[in-house]
Amino acid sequence: NIYKEDRNKIKKFAKAQNLNVTSSSTFDWFDTALSREDGYKEIPETTRKQAFESLLEKAKEQDEAQEKAAKKARKKFVELLQKTREVSAKTTYEQAEKLLKSNSAWEACDEETRKQCFSIFVDQLKIQTKNKDDGDDDSDGDDDSEEPAEPTKKKSKKEKEKEKEKDDDKKK
């Protein structure tokens, strides 16, 4: 099969040039880089394009697989933070590192990702802690949100009484 032979030649040419096709590579870049190789231009352009598209697709699949693995690692890292009771709103990254660095979920993420996830996690804990503190301050019965509810209840009772009177008048 001539197509397979040509495709294999193109792959050899790319390897010889140390050419790495990534998901953002273009055919023009690929074609220009390999045009210096003896015999490359004799391969039909459609075959060259098909070979490039094949390598590009492979690169995109690898990117997707890496992103999926990174997402899974981030999820496991956040789950580790959630189940570690020693991590609180006041915990520093350095303290968490000493506590958790031997865990595989810690090692599975790169440091930048860990720091980012840790920061977001601790910020959420701070918000939750603040909300709990605010909630405790209002539990003394002076909560303004309860006052408007009472007149609404009285109003609805009056409305019910009026409706009852109307119903009684209709029956008579």
Side-chain angles (χ1 to χ4, degrees):
N1 186 334
I2 293 174
Y3 169 74
K4 277 188 177 181
E5 288 174 22
D6 286 346
R7 200 176 80 195
N8 288 337
K9 283 181 193 173
I10 292 169
K11 287 182 179 180
K12 282 182 186 176
F13 294 152
K15 202 171 199 173
Q17 288 277 335
N18 206 14
L19 214 58
N20 186 22
V21 175
T22 66
S23 58
S24 59
S25 297
T26 64
F27 176 71
D28 288 339
W29 164 82
F30 182 78
D31 202 43
T32 302
L34 294 182
S35 64
R36 294 180 288 259
E37 293 290 327
D38 285 339
Y40 178 74
K41 285 293 185 183
E42 284 82 52
I43 298 171
E45 187 176 0
T46 55
T47 303
R48 297 191 316 246
K49 279 186 178 178
Q50 287 175 335
F52 168 75
E53 291 296 328
S54 171
L55 293 170
L56 183 66
E57 188 61 37
K58 196 179 218 179
K60 287 179 179 178
E61 288 171 5
Q62 287 175 338
D63 285 358
E64 287 172 13
Q66 287 174 342
E67 179 54 38
K68 192 175 180 180
K71 188 176 183 178
K72 189 175 180 180
R74 286 192 303 271
K75 185 179 178 192
K76 287 197 178 287
F77 177 69
V78 172
E79 288 171 352
L80 171 66
L81 293 175
Q82 289 172 334
K83 72 180 182 186
T84 305
R85 300 216 180 271
E86 294 86 351
V87 175
S88 71
K90 294 179 177 136
T91 306
T92 65
Y93 178 81
E94 290 71 24
Q95 291 168 328
E97 184 175 27
K98 286 178 186 171
L99 191 65
L100 304 170
K101 67 181 176 186
S102 62
N103 190 295
S104 62
W106 182 275
E107 290 296 320
C109 287
D110 62 274
E111 187 168 18
E112 183 182 343
T113 302
R114 274 196 307 265
K115 284 184 174 182
Q116 187 180 23
C117 290
F118 179 80
S119 176
I120 292 167
F121 181 77
V122 170
D123 286 347
Q124 286 299 314
L125 288 179
K126 287 175 183 172
I127 291 167
Q128 290 172 359
T129 303
K130 184 184 180 304
N131 287 344
K132 282 183 183 175
D133 290 347
D134 290 350
D136 290 343
D137 291 345
D138 290 340
S139 64
D140 58 2
D142 291 338
D143 186 10
D144 292 337
S145 66
E146 289 178 25
E147 289 178 16
E150 289 183 80
T152 307
K153 287 180 185 173
K154 288 178 185 173
K155 186 177 175 185
S156 64
K157 284 181 183 177
K158 287 179 185 175
E159 287 175 1
K160 286 180 182 177
E161 288 174 8
K162 285 182 183 178
E163 287 174 9
K164 212 175 197 181
E165 288 175 8
K166 286 181 185 178
D167 286 343
D168 290 344
D169 288 343
K170 287 179 185 176
K171 289 178 184 175
K172 291 179 182 174

